Amino acid sequence: MAAKKLRRAQLSQEMCERLSRYQITTCQDFLCLSLLELMKVTGQSYCEVQKLLCKVSRACAPKMQTAYEMKLRKSVNPSAFLSTTLHSLDRVLHGGVPCGSLTEITSPPGCGKTQFCIMLSVLATLPVSMGGLDGAVIYIDTESAFSAERLIEIAANRFPSYYDSDEKLLCMTRSIHLYRELTCCSVLKRIMSLEEEIILKKVKLVIIDSVASVVRKEFDTKLQGNLAERSNFLNRGASVLKYLAEEFSIPVILTNQITTALSSGSGLQADLVSPADDLSLSEGSSVSGKRDSGYVTAALGNTWSHSVNTRLILQYHDLPTRQLLVAKSPVAPFSTFFYTIEKSGLILQDRKDQTNLVWEGTNPALQPIRVRNTALKDTLHDAALPSTTGETSRNTSNL
């Protein structure tokens, strides 16, 4: 909460303007200075500076609350969750994607992370009476994967009775504020500037798709010093995003990647990987207790894993069907759902038989993830998938 702007700490406008001339704009900037430095930049006496310190400290310190107060606030707040309109998933999550916390959606390529995010963007703009948040969305796109055409297609097909005119669809698109940030520096700078935009634009949802993309491009963890620098970037970003989620009681959604790579001694890729953070499997090792060839990398490290409150994993099941796993949640048990990607976005296959599924171990975060279906590995390369299946960036030409 130290990222809170000084203007919101109830300092006078004159004092805020004076401090901004010294690049002191947040509570953290202010509290990091010594008393003598504060006396110099504020022009105030020792006693007045001490009063300012107390005022700023109280403004950014988390307020104590009882469990009863927390429960009461959520029970009277109809926007405590963003409904995914996937009813079985919403029921397990006690209402949907939680507001006031970070939710991570991670998967191998092509499972629909971006499709899910675009669908949630539509849902956030809906009126509260329809399960939406009746607000704007900030969408930070680091992979140039966002498609306005796909956004309109999902809205028109998922809510045809509500979006019954081009005017309503265009009005919805004006509520989605897209930023394409392709470097870690620009992503962090954008995150740091979100507070004012959230207030001015009445933002109810923040999406970053994806965090891993810029991190993997810029940080080679084999080089000395890169791991610490990467951890610093992730910690700063997660800290500010958590503050924004809690301060404004909005959901913040982040996508992450799971990738596979060939080992030098094998011609096959592993079909099963684990979402365990920064996992590397050498040839002949496997998290599922079987010998798999190849190695995989997943997620962004233990520190990042602890930063997110809820983690949803998307994985392959068969050619048209995928699986959605609730791997981490403060309120939900480990759960799995089958889904397909249609013109209206993600659709759950609630009646699909799950009796033959076997999950190994007791830790949901260590469940193996299918990055492709072994039985279909020869046909996946040749199959002509529908335009709405897979990630948006590879299918926008057909929308």
Side-chain angles (χ1 to χ4, degrees):
M1 296 183 74
K4 179 181 284 187
K5 298 292 184 180
L6 284 172
R7 289 195 300 276
R8 301 185 62 235
Q10 298 183 347
L11 297 188
S12 67
Q13 181 68 24
E14 181 184 356
M15 179 60 68
C16 290
E17 291 176 357
R18 182 183 181 113
L19 291 170
S20 66
R21 290 197 290 268
Y22 295 91
Q23 286 75 52
I24 303 171
T25 58
T26 67
C27 293
Q28 181 178 1
D29 297 335
F30 189 88
L31 296 173
C32 285
L33 298 177
S34 66
L35 282 169
L36 289 177
E37 288 172 325
L38 288 173
M39 290 171 64
K40 180 180 178 180
V41 298
T42 61
Q44 301 291 312
S45 66
Y46 180 83
C47 291
E48 291 299 319
V49 166
Q50 283 190 316
K51 291 179 182 178
L52 286 174
L53 275 172
C54 290
K55 193 171 188 177
V56 173
S57 298
R58 283 195 299 269
C60 69
K63 305 284 190 302
M64 188 280 296
Q65 60 181 336
T66 65
Y68 174 76
E69 290 171 336
M70 181 182 295
K71 186 179 186 306
L72 186 63
R73 189 178 73 252
K74 288 188 176 181
S75 65
V76 299
N77 181 9
S79 301
F81 295 92
L82 170 60
S83 171
T84 65
T85 65
L86 306 174
H87 301 301
S88 297
L89 177 62
D90 285 346
R91 186 166 59 250
V92 166
L93 293 175
H94 292 207
V97 176
C99 297
S101 64
L102 306 188
T103 297
E104 180 189 71
I105 302 170
T106 185
S107 82
C111 284
K113 295 187 298 295
T114 299
Q115 304 280 337
F116 201 177
C117 289
I118 292 175
M119 187 178 84
L120 291 172
S121 298
V122 174
L123 299 175
T125 63
L126 290 172
V128 175
S129 60
M130 295 182 64
L133 300 177
D134 194 20
V137 178
I138 288 180
Y139 196 116
I140 300 175
D141 181 12
T142 68
E143 298 182 300
S144 300
F146 183 88
S147 168
E149 291 81 6
R150 182 65 174 135
L151 176 76
I152 293 172
E153 183 182 42
I154 289 176
N157 285 276
R158 202 169 193 90
F159 304 100
S161 59
Y162 182 75
Y163 292 112
D164 55 359
S165 67
D166 290 342
E167 184 180 353
K168 281 189 175 180
L169 286 169
L170 290 175
C171 183
M172 179 271 296
T173 61
R174 294 190 187 101
S175 298
I176 313 293
H177 304 281
L178 179 69
Y179 296 101
R180 285 201 165 96
E181 309 292 355
L182 304 179
T183 66
C184 288
C185 181
S186 62
V187 169
L188 189 59
K189 186 176 180 181
R190 178 63 59 189
I191 290 173
M192 295 297 184
S193 68
L194 286 181
E195 185 176 18
E196 291 185 8
E197 287 196 73
I198 290 173
I199 297 171
L200 293 174
K201 296 175 181 176
K202 298 181 180 179
V203 172
K204 297 296 184 179
L205 173 65
V206 174
I207 296 174
I208 302 181
D209 181 23
S210 76
V211 178
S213 176
V214 290
V215 170
R216 287 200 173 106
K217 282 188 292 187
E218 296 189 27
F219 295 108
D220 183 352
T221 54
K222 296 178 182 179
L223 298 179
Q224 188 175 6
N226 268 11
L227 188 58
E229 191 175 349
R230 187 187 76 157
S231 296
N232 180 57
F233 164 75
L234 292 172
N235 289 339
R236 290 182 65 191
S239 175
V240 175
L241 290 171
K242 274 203 166 188
Y243 157 71
L244 294 172
E246 293 172 3
E247 182 73 7
F248 298 101
S249 189
I250 61 174
V252 174
I253 296 175
L254 314 154
T255 68
N256 199 350
Q257 301 170 339
I258 294 172
T259 61
T260 61
L262 294 174
S263 65
S264 57
S266 174
L268 295 175
Q269 287 184 319
D271 292 322
L272 296 176
V273 304
S274 166
D277 305 297
D278 280 342
L279 175 68
S280 292
L281 297 180
S282 58
E283 182 181 358
S285 64
S286 171
V287 296
S288 60
K290 303 173 184 177
R291 295 179 62 84
D292 292 323
S293 299
Y295 68 89
V296 300
T297 57
L300 292 171
N302 287 326
T303 302
W304 176 260
S305 180
H306 288 296
S307 296
V308 298
N309 305 96
T310 304
R311 172 178 284 165
L312 306 179
I313 298 174
L314 311 182
Q315 70 169 0
Y316 286 99
H317 177 66
D318 55 33
L319 192 58
T321 310
R322 309 285 191 263
Q323 278 181 313
L324 188 156
L325 311 179
V326 180
K328 178 183 179 182
S329 169
V331 297
F334 176 61
S335 309
T336 178
F337 306 92
F338 292 94
Y339 69 94
T340 56
I341 302 176
E342 313 290 347
K343 287 185 176 181
S344 58
L346 272 66
I347 302 295
L348 288 190
Q349 309 297 304
D350 289 333
R351 297 183 180 179
K352 195 171 180 71
D353 180 27
Q354 301 185 37
T355 57
N356 295 325
L357 295 179
V358 178
W359 305 106
E360 302 179 15
T362 57
N363 184 355
L366 295 178
Q367 294 298 337
I369 297 173
R370 187 171 297 283
V371 296
R372 62 191 174 105
N373 189 293
T374 307
L376 298 174
K377 61 186 177 183
D378 296 326
T379 60
L380 278 176
H381 299 291
D382 303 324
L385 299 180
S387 63
T388 53
T389 303
E391 295 292 349
T392 304
S393 60
R394 291 189 293 277
N395 297 288
T396 52
S397 60
N398 297 324
L399 298 178

